[in-house]
Amino acid sequence: MKLEDIGFYTLSDARAASASEFSPLSRCELILTDKCNFKCPYCRGLKNQYSGDMDFDKAANVVKQWTLHGLKNIRFSGGEPTFYEYLPDLVLIARKTCEHIALSTNGTAPLETYEGLIKCGVNDFSISLDACCASTADLMSGGEAQFEEICNTILELSDKAYVTVGVVLTPDNISEVGDIIDLAHFLQVNDIRIIPSAQWKQSLDSFKINKEILERYPILEYRYNNLKNGISVRGLSESDNHRCPLVLDDMAVVGDDHYPCIIYLREQGEPIGKFTNISEVRAARARWYETHNVYADPICRMNCLDVCRDYSNRWKELHS
Ligand SMILES: C[S@@+](CC[C@H](N)C(=O)[O-])C[C@H]1O[C@@H](n2cnc3c(N)ncnc32)[C@H](O)[C@@H]1O
Ligand code: SF4
Ligand code: SF4
């Protein structure tokens, strides 16, 4: 399988063939704030030490340093990143080298906020849509989800940028997954990413998605086929690569801390170190790559995602 077939524009055989400590940075994610207007029951938030907004000078320095290493794909997230006052300023800095500027958002900001961000350079929105009706949306968001407004925002943005809908599956919405996918399709999104919540270990083989829909959305098809074929969404097995080449040209940062990847950060693992200078950080990441057996690390072993696992295994194939 070629990595392109998965459907993520950040994952390709060309990247895997050339990725190293010295190649341009490929995919970096910055957490800007822990503030959020939702209380999704499945969301575990960030470590206490990262509460509040990231200091603007620090955030700007991180993005500047990334652009110095040729970063192509950046993602801003949170909490809810649209609450971060200086998001437009960071987007303008990222524009220097980034071809894709992505935002993970719950879709509740006013449409004008998103349109303003598009003017600055955001061209990719990952919007959470965990329901196909207002009552389930309220349940999944832990409050009043503004369901209709979010749907309208998704529809409007789909016309102006690359939009992926993210659907976290839990026992509360699993019976609606087919209808959520139909709704996302109706809203004209570019792709659909379903993912069982990190806490939900039960296997999902109880739903069907029709062929025409699957053929239209590569990431959905990839994940659906994995679920259908009993290939776990999370976790590593003995036969998988025991090193993680993604750490060579990916980064995930919150506060001053650099993490191996966004999963590692969300699972509250230990950071690789504090940010000082980009060359030092890359060298530290390369050391982590060389010395860290990810199969022996319970965070990676339990939580690594199928896409990352496939990338890592393909990397090994291409370099053997
Ligand atoms: C933490 S949110 C931050 C961005 C924004 N507030 C949002 O909800 O899209 C980033 C992504 O993580 C997902 N997420 C949060 N908790 C999760 C969990 N326990 N398992 C799987 N995905 C989760 C969210 O659905 C969202 O797609
Ligand atoms: S909207 Fe995002 S950050 Fe907020 S609680 Fe839900 S998943 Fe967490
Ligand atoms: S969770 Fe996966 S992608 Fe993240 S560091 Fe571990 S092996 Fe690498």
Side-chain angles (χ1 to χ4, degrees):
M1 185 203 62
K2 287 180 110 190
L3 290 166
E4 287 76 349
D5 298 339
I6 296 178
F8 283 103
Y9 58 72
T10 51
L11 301 176
S12 67
D13 277 9
R15 174 183 173 192
S18 64
S20 77
E21 177 187 347
F22 305 104
S23 59
L25 284 172
S26 181
R27 186 182 62 159
C28 295
E29 182 158 343
L30 184 58
I31 306 291
L32 298 174
T33 181
D34 75 334
K35 286 184 198 146
C36 190
N37 51 338
F38 277 7
K39 290 191 174 59
C40 307
Y42 56 77
C43 180
R44 291 159 300 174
L46 300 165
K47 289 180 186 171
N48 289 340
Q49 71 208 70
Y50 305 129
S51 68
D53 286 353
M54 186 162 183
D55 175 77
F56 172 67
D57 289 336
K58 281 186 183 168
N61 186 42
V62 171
V63 179
K64 276 182 199 154
Q65 296 264 341
W66 283 347
T67 62
L68 284 177
H69 274 222
L71 178 61
K72 292 279 179 285
N73 306 294
I74 195 167
R75 174 172 297 277
F76 297 105
S77 188
E80 179 45 46
T82 52
F83 285 143
Y84 188 71
E85 188 183 351
Y86 306 106
L87 177 58
D89 305 84
L90 296 178
V91 172
L92 290 172
I93 299 171
R95 252 163 68 151
K96 290 197 182 97
T97 60
C98 293
E99 289 162 9
H100 297 111
I101 302 182
L103 192 68
S104 294
T105 174
N106 61 23
T108 57
L111 186 57
E112 307 80 66
T113 302
Y114 294 113
E115 287 171 338
L117 288 165
I118 290 174
K119 283 203 184 103
C120 292
V122 174
N123 51 15
D124 177 327
F125 293 91
S126 298
I127 307 181
S128 300
L129 184 71
D130 298 334
C132 63
C133 63
S135 57
T136 307
D138 289 351
L139 188 65
M140 295 299 290
S141 68
E144 287 186 27
Q146 309 166 38
F147 178 68
E148 275 181 31
E149 289 86 343
I150 293 171
C151 290
N152 188 47
T153 296
I154 294 173
L155 184 62
E156 292 286 336
L157 292 180
S158 295
D159 197 34
K160 303 176 168 74
Y162 184 89
V163 173
T164 311
V165 148
V167 188
V168 172
L169 301 174
T170 75
D172 289 328
N173 68 353
I174 187 67
S175 63
E176 295 176 20
V177 60
D179 292 332
I180 301 172
I181 289 164
D182 286 347
L183 173 62
H185 175 60
F186 173 77
L187 297 174
Q188 299 173 22
V189 301
N190 293 85
D191 219 329
I192 302 167
R193 193 178 53 97
I194 54 172
I195 185 165
S197 79
Q199 304 87 324
W200 201 25
K201 304 293 180 198
Q202 182 191 325
S203 76
L204 304 173
D205 52 8
S206 56
F207 58 89
K208 295 224 178 324
I209 304 173
N210 78 48
K211 199 162 162 275
E212 294 78 59
I213 292 262
L214 287 176
E215 280 171 359
R216 176 142 184 193
Y217 302 105
I219 300 173
L220 178 66
E221 186 174 31
Y222 166 82
R223 181 62 48 74
Y224 179 76
N225 286 338
N226 279 353
L227 290 169
K228 279 280 161 210
N229 296 325
I231 298 170
S232 61
V233 172
R234 286 193 176 77
L236 298 173
S237 58
E238 169 81 83
S239 59
D240 290 317
N241 192 353
H242 289 196
R243 302 279 162 220
C244 177
L246 276 164
V247 300
L248 296 171
D249 61 349
D250 262 28
M251 288 191 191
V253 171
V254 58
D256 290 328
D257 288 326
H258 277 246
Y259 283 84
C261 74
I262 194 67
I263 301 289
Y264 214 89
L265 186 159
R266 297 273 182 214
E267 293 300 323
Q268 309 204 343
E270 284 306 308
I272 288 180
K274 303 250 179 235
F275 187 88
T276 43
N277 157 292
I278 189 74
S279 301
E280 283 169 19
V281 173
R282 293 205 73 181
R285 296 180 75 84
R287 276 196 302 280
W288 199 92
Y289 165 77
E290 293 290 346
T291 57
H292 205 88
N293 179 341
V294 290
Y295 182 65
D297 180 328
I299 292 187
C300 300
R301 189 162 164 172
M302 303 288 292
N303 300 287
C304 189
L305 282 185
D306 47 7
V307 280
C308 304
R309 197 172 63 210
D310 280 348
Y311 178 87
S312 181
N313 289 335
R314 182 75 176 136
W315 196 94
K316 196 173 170 189
E317 238 173 74
L318 292 170
H319 290 262
S320 60

